[in-house]
């Protein structure tokens, strides 16, 4: 079973009721909670560096484990539109979220600032967006093996003018041997609430499962 909490208001009162709407929706809690997930999860391991599970509905787009000092994996959240491209005979799908995890072996040539800057450059160049503002920053919900952790949420947007804001979630972790980074690129909550909710839930579940 799935439950969606919805708050309706007249368009003229949308801004005036924004605070109340968020408080009501955020206060929703199940009386009986369960740890069971609504879909199967698959396991993935980066050598002896990291192990986690990911939802089976995600498309595994890329895996790079050729160099044990720098490994990565990338997933897409793909929405199938139910339409057929007649010219290619294939169903039409739309990418509604991207998740990427990177593992870097700590050594004399690496440091947290350098690796973080490299990832932010990757975001700007490959995703074509610029960082607009920091929305939130806190510790990541991870086990005690990590010596430090950071979980940041940014508003980003394509470089063109009047572009619709999107969201980047960035996780940085470190233990005595490894740096571990996670990136979520998603539509914003206001642009596509359903895709945002699925993306953020998947991403947070995967980060919490890091071992």
């Amino acid at each position: 079973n799935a439950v969606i909490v919805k708050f309706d208001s007249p368009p003229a009162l949308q801004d005036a009721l924004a605070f109340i709407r968020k408080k009501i929706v955020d206060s929703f809690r199940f009386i009986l909670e369960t740890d069971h997930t609504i879909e199967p999860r698959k396991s993935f391991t980066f050598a002896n560096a990291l192990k986690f599970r990911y939802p089976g509905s995600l498309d595994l787009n890329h895996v790079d484990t050729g160099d044990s000092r720098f490994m990565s994996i990338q997933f897409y959240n793909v929405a199938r539109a139910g339409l057929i491209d007649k010219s290619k005979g294939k169903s039409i799908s739309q990418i509604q979220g991207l998740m990427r995890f990177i593992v870097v072996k700590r050594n004399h040539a690496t440091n947290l600032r350098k690796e973080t800057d490299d990832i932010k450059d990757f975001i700007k160049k490959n995703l074509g967006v610029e960082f607009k503002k920091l929305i939130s920053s806190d510790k990541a919900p991870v086990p005690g093996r990590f010596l430090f952790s950071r979980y940041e949420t940014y508003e980003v947007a394509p470089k063109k003018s009047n572009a619709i804001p999107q969201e980047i979630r960035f996780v940085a972790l470190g233990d005595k041997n490894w740096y571990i980074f996670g990136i979520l690129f998603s539509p914003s909550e206001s642009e596509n609430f359903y895709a945002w909710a699925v993306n953020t839930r998947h991403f947070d579940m995967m980060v919490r499962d890091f071992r």
Side-chain angles (χ1 to χ4, degrees), residues 2-209:
V3 176
I4 296 178
V5 183
K6 185 178 180 182
F7 184 102
D8 291 320
S9 61
L13 298 177
Q14 180 176 346
D15 294 336
L17 295 176
F19 177 78
I20 296 174
R21 177 178 65 246
K22 180 168 177 56
K23 283 294 183 182
I24 290 175
V25 173
D26 288 350
S27 70
F28 178 83
R29 297 289 183 273
F30 286 106
I31 296 174
L32 298 175
E33 295 187 357
T34 175
D35 292 331
H36 296 296
T37 58
I38 62 173
E39 62 175 298
R41 291 195 285 177
K42 301 178 181 179
S43 294
F44 185 84
T45 303
F46 280 119
N48 63 340
L50 181 69
K51 182 178 181 179
F52 65 94
R53 291 170 296 172
Y54 63 92
S57 62
L58 293 178
D59 279 16
L60 178 55
N61 167 258
H62 161 86
V63 179
D64 183 1
T65 55
D67 184 346
S68 61
R69 296 167 299 178
F70 186 96
M71 299 175 284
S72 65
I73 187 170
Q74 183 167 291
F75 302 92
Y76 287 147
N77 173 17
V78 179
R80 272 76 181 182
L83 301 175
I84 302 296
D85 185 339
K86 295 181 180 179
S87 63
K88 298 180 180 179
K90 296 181 179 179
S91 61
I92 299 172
S93 60
Q94 181 182 12
I95 296 173
Q96 293 192 330
L98 177 149
M99 298 165 210
R100 185 177 181 88
F101 298 98
I102 301 158
V103 176
V104 181
K105 180 72 172 178
R106 296 182 70 166
N107 58 55
H108 67 279
T110 63
N111 62 71
L112 182 62
R113 179 173 292 277
K114 174 184 177 300
E115 301 303 328
T116 300
D117 288 344
D118 286 348
I119 290 173
K120 290 186 176 180
D121 286 341
F122 167 86
I123 292 171
K124 293 177 182 178
K125 293 177 182 178
N126 291 273
L127 302 181
V129 296
E130 293 182 334
F131 289 85
K132 296 299 183 182
K133 67 178 181 180
L134 176 66
I135 299 173
S136 65
S137 179
D138 204 346
K139 289 185 177 181
V142 290
R145 68 165 268 199
F146 297 104
L147 303 176
F148 66 86
S149 71
R150 209 72 211 152
Y151 189 126
E152 298 177 342
T153 304
Y154 294 89
E155 179 184 299
V156 299
K159 297 178 181 179
K160 60 184 180 181
S161 59
N162 299 322
I164 298 174
Q166 294 169 294
E167 184 174 294
I168 288 280
R169 295 198 172 199
F170 176 67
V171 169
L173 310 170
D175 61 16
K176 62 181 181 180
N177 296 314
W178 300 93
Y179 293 120
I180 297 168
F181 303 96
I183 304 165
L184 166 64
F185 179 50
S186 172
S188 66
E189 180 179 5
S190 59
E191 178 195 356
N192 187 334
F193 176 78
Y194 182 79
W196 172 87
V198 170
N199 288 333
T200 54
R201 178 61 174 163
H202 281 171
F203 185 72
D204 288 351
M205 286 175 63
M206 294 159 76
V207 171
R208 289 192 180 97
D209 202 53

